[in-house]
Amino acid sequence: MKHVTLTSIEKAIEKVDHLEDDALDKLSETYSLAQTNLLAYLMSAAIEYDNEQLEGLIPYYFCLISEAFEQEGVKVNPITEESIDEFEQPFFEMLDAYFDNEDTEILESFCDQPTLTQFMSMEISTVDEDGSSLDDETATQVFIVTMAMIALMSRNVKS
């Protein structure tokens, strides 16, 4: 398994954060069309959590993480509803073990993308350049949703 590197994450951030609105919409549409089931699954979390802020953050992290895979040259097969269904139970069991033990190795081995996992851990706990930060509940929700995305993408990498 090829891992997404910090260099690829930094390139993805540079690209996504500096796109004009039209270009960002086009990039978002490209990734959305390639992974319709995954995006629908991720967006359903915002509805389940009843969190409008999460609803706004999911598309950003969807583009950012998708672009990080792209920058690394890691192609991902379209994620099916069946693969999502098979994934959910083991994912929630892993989350329980992670939150019970606060053992990052559990998370990193499940997601099989240690650098992306570490990046998201830092991302949700760091104050932005403008001084803003996520409330604890939203930060936890962003973390859970992005870990699901990373794990599903990692499990569906083209060989």
Side-chain angles (χ1 to χ4, degrees):
M1 160 55 75
K2 186 171 184 179
H3 292 123
V4 175
T5 62
L6 184 57
T7 301
S8 293
I9 295 168
E10 290 170 343
K11 287 178 182 176
I13 292 167
E14 184 67 25
K15 180 176 179 176
V16 171
D17 285 358
H18 291 95
L19 287 175
E20 297 292 324
D21 288 343
D22 288 345
L24 184 59
D25 287 345
K26 185 171 175 57
L27 182 69
S28 178
E29 182 180 350
T30 298
Y31 289 133
S32 298
L33 291 173
Q35 293 293 351
T36 55
N37 291 322
L38 176 60
L39 183 57
Y41 175 66
L42 300 174
M43 293 304 292
S44 72
I47 295 165
E48 287 180 37
Y49 287 129
D50 191 26
N51 186 332
E52 287 183 30
Q53 186 178 13
L54 180 63
E55 189 175 338
L57 291 169
I58 289 172
Y60 170 77
Y61 285 110
F62 176 75
C63 283
L64 183 68
I65 293 168
S66 296
E67 184 61 30
F69 273 81
E70 185 70 26
Q71 289 291 329
E72 192 64 44
V74 176
K75 303 296 183 199
V76 179
N77 289 313
I79 295 166
T80 65
E81 289 182 23
E82 292 79 20
S83 64
I84 291 169
D85 290 343
E86 292 169 9
F87 163 83
E88 281 189 300
Q89 184 65 30
F91 178 68
F92 290 117
E93 289 171 3
M94 179 279 303
L95 282 178
D96 287 342
Y98 168 72
F99 285 121
D100 286 347
N101 302 306
E102 305 247 345
D103 183 355
T104 57
E105 286 183 25
I106 293 171
L107 191 61
E108 290 172 8
S109 68
F110 186 87
C111 293
D112 198 25
Q113 288 292 339
T115 306
L116 268 173
T117 302
Q118 292 165 7
F119 165 74
M120 284 310 304
S121 294
M122 289 178 27
E123 181 75 4
I124 62 161
S125 61
T126 305
V127 176
D128 286 345
E129 291 173 2
D130 65 0
S132 65
S133 62
L134 298 174
D135 62 76
D136 288 343
E137 185 176 335
T138 300
T140 300
Q141 292 167 356
V142 167
F143 187 70
I144 291 168
V145 169
T146 57
M147 289 304 101
M149 178 182 177
I150 292 166
L152 279 162
M153 290 180 76
S154 183
R155 283 169 168 65
N156 287 279
V157 167
K158 290 182 181 179
S159 15

